[in-house]
């Protein structure tokens, strides 16, 4: 199961609410605990940008692609997945979380989010030098993980 950006939100919701019936899951370009300054404008159909520091949220603007996707994202992103997933197995052999510390769409993960993943012994990659995209050299690592078989 591949989830990037909006797909990250869908996949984390599936992890929290459904039994694990997948071989591998990738979640990239999202957050476990989205800042309210981001999800609240989403709920109004607006979008925000985040400064390169990955934390400072700029003023919300109208979404250039319409209001549906931001509203759908807010419907999931308002949940605190460090709480929703606390009793779930985040099997590092089945699930990969991928983050850019300078993510300009949703912000970089907080220390609490990373600490949560560490406490769950989850497999995650945090790249300090990228935003909402892949680090070119990680593409193969991600594909190998997702396509690997036990």
């Amino acid at each position: 199961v591949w989830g990037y950006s909006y797909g990250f939100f869908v996949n984390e919701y599936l992890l929290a609410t459904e039994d694990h019936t997948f071989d591998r899951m990738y979640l990239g370009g999202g957050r476990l605990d989205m800042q309210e300054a981001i999800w609240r404008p989403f709920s109004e159909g607006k979008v925000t940008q985040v400064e390169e520091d990955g934390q400072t949220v700029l003023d919300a603007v109208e979404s250039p692609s319409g209001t549906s996707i931001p509203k759908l994202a807010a419907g999931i992103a308002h949940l605190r997945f460090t709480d929703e997933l606390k009793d779930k197995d985040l099997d590092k052999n089945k699930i990969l979380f991928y983050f850019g510390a300078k993510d300009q769409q949703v912000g970089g993960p907080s220390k609490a989010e990373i600490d949560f993943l560490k406490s769950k012994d989850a497999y995650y990659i945090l790249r300090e030098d990228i935003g909402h995209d892949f680090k070119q050299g990680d593409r193969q690592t991600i594909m190998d993980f997702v396509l690997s078989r036990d």
Side-chain angles (χ1 to χ4, degrees), residues 28-77:
R31 296 283 301 275
L32 295 172
D33 293 339
M34 179 77 72
Q35 293 168 283
E36 185 172 351
I38 298 173
W39 72 256
R40 178 82 52 199
F42 278 14
S43 73
E44 299 165 357
K46 297 179 180 178
V47 294
T48 59
Q49 290 286 305
V50 179
E51 290 282 356
E52 193 171 295
D53 66 5
Q55 299 302 314
T56 306
V57 181
L58 301 173
D59 291 337
V61 297
E62 297 299 321
S63 172
S65 59
T67 62
S68 297
I69 294 297
K71 286 181 177 182
L72 287 170
I76 299 172

Side-chain angles (χ1 to χ4, degrees), residues 65-134:
S65 59
T67 62
S68 297
I69 294 297
K71 286 181 177 182
L72 287 170
I76 299 172
H78 77 280
L79 298 170
R80 308 293 82 197
F81 283 95
T82 53
D83 291 330
E84 300 291 327
L85 297 171
K86 69 181 176 205
D87 296 324
K88 299 291 184 174
D89 179 14
L90 301 182
D91 186 340
K92 65 182 172 186
N93 296 308
K94 294 182 99 174
I95 305 166
L96 168 59
F97 295 87
Y98 188 87
F99 304 98
K102 297 179 178 183
D103 192 315
Q104 63 276 34
Q105 300 295 315
V106 297
S110 67
K111 181 180 182 318
E113 289 169 283
I114 296 301
D115 287 347
F116 170 77
L117 292 172
K118 287 179 182 177
S119 77
K120 300 291 288 178
D121 196 28
Y123 180 24
Y124 71 92
I125 298 172
L126 171 60
R127 294 294 184 218
E128 298 292 334
D129 57 340
I130 65 165
H132 196 70
D133 52 1
F134 297 96

